[in-house]
Amino acid sequence: METRSRRSRPPLQLLNILLILALALPTHGLYFYLEGLSPKCFYEELPKDTMVVGHYKAEQIDPNTNSFVQNPDLGILVTVEEVFDNDHRVVNTKGSSTGKFTFSAADSGDHRICFLPSMAGGGGWFSGGQYTGAIKLTLDLAIGETSQIESTDKSKIQDIVQKVKDLNGRLQDIRREQVFQRVCGSME
């Protein structure tokens, strides 16, 4: 019996270790609703030189099914302002219904992060309030030191570097084949 209980413990310990590793980089996942043309803002106090990476996904209510669905005409304006520095704007980007934004805190203090929906062709900022339906915005923020966030991207970069090396190798093979074809063609 004791050998069975010892064998069943490592997966539980492994699960605990994986949970701790998953929580090593602070992330904040949430969703909220945008109604009409007013922006939805929240504040995040950040220490100096902290990198923030945000991923968002916006879905519009479908009145027929009464559920939230992706709308290709839906866009989101993301702004980030340093409240402590006379609302100095750090990020001002228009994106599609799903996107990513990144910034680094130049100084310590409160940062206001705002989201504003817009519709291509018809609805949006200048539609005179004719915006239709509620928007559910899912937001995932990774807040941490630059080295922590960049370390998660290093494997992706290494994969791309390897692919470029492979393509360069193939290009050299093609060039050798072309030279061979020219030499054989001139001998005929």
Side-chain angles (χ1 to χ4, degrees):
M1 282 282 197
E2 288 183 63
T3 57
R4 286 186 185 175
S5 64
R6 285 183 186 167
R7 288 182 184 169
S8 64
R9 286 187 185 199
L12 181 60
Q13 291 171 346
L14 181 63
L15 181 62
N16 288 337
I17 290 171
L18 290 175
L19 180 62
I20 290 170
L21 289 176
L23 297 175
L25 181 63
T27 60
H28 302 287
L30 63 113
Y31 70 90
F32 51 90
Y33 299 98
L34 302 170
E35 195 68 53
L37 297 174
S38 60
K40 182 74 87 168
C41 301
F42 60 94
Y43 294 83
E44 189 71 38
E45 186 173 348
L46 300 171
K48 182 178 181 177
D49 296 330
T50 300
M51 185 173 197
V52 177
V53 178
H55 296 269
Y56 64 89
K57 179 173 97 172
E59 298 171 299
Q60 187 175 19
I61 189 89
D62 181 2
N64 297 329
T65 62
N66 202 24
S67 63
F68 288 96
V69 295
Q70 290 282 120
N71 182 347
D73 293 332
L74 179 63
I76 299 292
L77 172 67
V78 180
T79 59
V80 178
E81 297 170 342
E82 295 175 331
V83 177
F84 58 89
D85 191 16
N86 292 326
D87 294 336
H88 174 254
R89 189 161 284 177
V90 180
V91 174
N92 185 29
T93 181
K94 293 178 188 174
S96 64
S97 61
T98 58
K100 174 181 174 181
F101 63 94
T102 305
F103 70 95
S104 292
D107 286 315
S108 298
D110 281 336
H111 290 71
R112 180 175 41 239
I113 304 172
C114 298
F115 299 90
L116 178 66
S118 69
M119 294 293 283
W125 294 302
F126 303 110
S127 64
Q130 300 299 319
Y131 196 75
T132 58
I135 305 295
K136 177 182 175 184
L137 189 89
T138 304
L139 177 64
D140 185 19
L141 286 179
I143 300 172
E145 295 177 9
T146 304
S147 60
Q148 289 177 326
I149 295 174
E150 287 177 351
S151 68
T152 60
D153 292 334
K154 283 185 181 178
S155 64
K156 293 178 186 176
I157 291 171
Q158 290 172 347
D159 289 343
I160 292 172
V161 167
Q162 185 60 43
K163 287 179 183 179
V164 169
K165 287 180 180 178
D166 291 344
L167 288 173
N168 281 334
R170 287 182 185 175
L171 182 61
Q172 288 177 352
D173 291 343
I174 291 171
R175 286 182 179 160
R176 274 189 244 128
E177 181 69 26
Q178 287 176 338
V179 168
F180 178 76
Q181 292 293 329
R182 286 183 193 140
V183 170
C184 287
S186 64
M187 290 184 167
E188 291 178 1

